[in-house]
Amino acid sequence: MFNPELFVSESVESLRNEIKGRAVIACSGGVDSTVAAKLVEMAIHDKLMVVFVDTGFMRKNEAQNIEKMFQRMGFNYRIVRAADEFIAMLSGVTDPEQKRKLIGKKFIDVFERIAREFGAEYLVQGTIAPDWIESGGGLRDTIKSHHNVGGLPEQMKLKLVEPLRDLYKDEVRKIARYLGIETAERQPFPGPGLAIRILGEIDKERLEIVRAANAIVEEEVERFYVPEERPWQYFAVLLPIKSVGVHGDKRAYGYTVAVRMVESLDGMTAAYFKARHELLERIANRITTEVNSINRVVYDITNKPPGTIEWE
Ligand code: XMP
């Protein structure tokens, strides 16, 4: 039986011995990076700089909420607001892998600058066992290569510290609960964020549309189901097509949003979530009334394989 209390005390002790200088961590607010940051902070306090890069592709109020959480946790932190830069960079880009590559590269540039300014010698990462264990097909490597700040240690000559390297997600969640970390139960959210939930080209208008629709999906699912009943992931995707609808007594063309909810253990395979129709109807009603220019909501009933969880 995994004992979070014992893990925390042993880990903090060994991190204190291991880390001899300043350290940085890029923290998304997700459970892995937040637990890793907390353990290192408990060991070396303000010698750890916790960095959150706001790419502009985060969910509604996410950057503000993360900053408040960092404050409550007593972190020495930096929030880098780089939304305009990231959005401008993606103008005209439609290929999903190109989006990921550009976002990943800029993220590293921004993070590297801060690490250098802080004089960091150590790089902390929230890597967990499934992130590096061979999965057989190599698919996981492909998935994860997009968002981990891979390559960073070689370029920056930082010593890598991975306090969660041997743990699985449920163990990390146990530590998170034990440490009272607020995002312990948060659903996974991809590093490139909403940028890969807008099919095709990104602009500010579409970003606002998908952000608003996604917030409604999250709110309604979280209202409808208690945490244990919720799907593994639940979100909205903005499709690059318009379809006909009625607005007053006129035909009007509007955007279509796909709602995706899946059950999964680790994201490698997934089953579409058999959501209750009352919930789906509420989501559709709210999105079409509250989000301008959306007149159609569809529910994705594809398993993985053959589909993927994300649409890009
Ligand atoms: P797919 O779409 O490949 O997603 O079935 C599997 C899991 O990985 C997440 N995902 C990503 N996470 N950067 C990330 O950090 C990415 O580029 C990325 N693409 C997919 C996805 O949300 C799901 O949990």
Side-chain angles (χ1 to χ4, degrees):
M1 202 37 192
F2 178 74
N3 180 338
E5 190 175 350
L6 189 65
F7 180 88
V8 169
S9 66
E10 288 180 356
S11 168
V12 170
E13 176 73 28
S14 83
L15 288 166
R16 203 172 281 138
N17 294 326
E18 180 184 353
I19 307 178
K20 305 274 178 243
R22 293 179 165 210
V24 279
I25 182 168
C27 182
S28 64
V31 61
D32 303 341
S33 58
T34 309
V35 169
K38 184 65 196 166
L39 293 172
V40 175
E41 190 269 337
M42 288 165 79
I44 64 167
H45 313 290
D46 281 2
K47 281 184 355 195
L48 174 71
M49 168 75 79
V50 182
V51 181
F52 174 79
V53 180
D54 181 3
T55 58
F57 304 130
M58 309 308 290
R59 288 166 289 186
K60 190 174 160 190
N61 300 329
E62 191 161 6
Q64 295 94 304
N65 291 341
I66 284 170
E67 176 158 20
K68 284 185 206 142
M69 180 177 82
F70 285 180
Q71 284 168 350
R72 283 192 289 268
M73 293 179 78
F75 285 162
N76 175 23
Y77 71 88
R78 276 279 299 274
I79 308 281
V80 185
R81 295 180 208 285
D84 288 344
E85 242 176 282
F86 274 87
I87 294 166
M89 175 186 73
L90 289 185
S91 157
V93 179
T94 53
D95 177 64
E97 289 312 299
Q98 189 65 15
K99 286 182 186 173
R100 288 184 166 92
K101 234 180 256 153
L102 289 169
I103 293 170
K105 190 175 172 309
K106 184 165 261 325
F107 187 96
I108 289 175
D109 287 350
V110 171
F111 183 64
E112 196 179 5
R113 180 169 48 77
I114 294 191
R116 209 178 305 116
E117 280 168 19
F118 187 58
E121 293 170 57
Y122 295 82
L123 173 70
V124 184
Q125 285 195 309
T127 321
I128 61 173
D131 295 340
W132 60 272
I133 288 175
E134 276 291 327
S135 60
L139 180 61
R140 186 185 301 278
D141 289 345
T142 318
I143 292 169
K144 294 287 176 177
S145 66
H146 307 308
H147 67 293
N148 282 350
V149 263
L152 209 55
E154 297 97 85
Q155 280 176 31
M156 297 171 63
K157 313 221 175 335
L158 293 176
K159 295 176 204 98
L160 193 58
V161 179
E162 294 180 317
L164 311 178
R165 219 185 135 68
D166 298 324
L167 303 184
Y168 285 85
K169 197 83 180 184
D170 57 321
E171 295 167 333
V172 181
R173 287 199 203 279
K174 280 183 188 148
I175 302 173
R177 284 182 211 121
Y178 168 71
L179 293 172
I181 289 172
E182 297 155 44
T183 51
E185 320 298 333
R186 207 174 81 150
Q187 62 164 321
F189 184 64
L194 300 177
I196 56 161
R197 301 223 172 129
I198 298 169
L199 265 64
E201 195 175 344
I202 295 162
D203 58 34
K204 280 191 176 161
E205 185 205 353
R206 275 182 269 212
L207 195 51
E208 288 321 313
I209 292 174
V210 77
R211 184 177 282 133
N214 192 69
I216 292 171
V217 174
E218 290 195 356
E219 276 165 33
E220 290 302 325
V221 168
E222 286 163 18
R223 195 184 328 230
F224 204 86
Y225 296 114
V226 294
E228 309 77 69
E229 293 174 350
R230 283 177 202 157
W232 152 272
Q233 273 180 286
Y234 41 102
F235 55 88
V237 180
L238 182 62
L239 307 189
I241 51 160
K242 285 191 169 180
S243 70
V244 72
V246 281
H247 195 76
D249 53 2
K250 289 206 176 66
R251 286 161 73 86
Y253 284 86
Y255 283 112
T256 301
V257 153
V259 174
R260 181 87 164 127
M261 300 187 205
V262 293
E263 287 289 28
S264 179
L265 287 176
D266 54 10
M268 295 298 291
T269 59
Y272 87 87
F273 184 72
K274 278 79 180 167
R276 295 258 299 275
H277 276 260
E278 303 93 284
L279 169 66
L280 295 176
E281 190 174 3
R282 267 196 71 80
I283 289 173
N285 284 342
R286 276 196 63 195
I287 290 179
T288 49
T289 46
E290 294 173 32
V291 188
N292 246 336
S293 68
I294 297 182
N295 66 352
R296 198 175 291 272
V297 177
V298 297
Y299 189 56
D300 184 351
I301 53 167
T302 320
N303 294 331
K304 173 185 179 176
T308 48
I309 295 177
E310 304 291 344
W311 277 49
E312 278 202 331

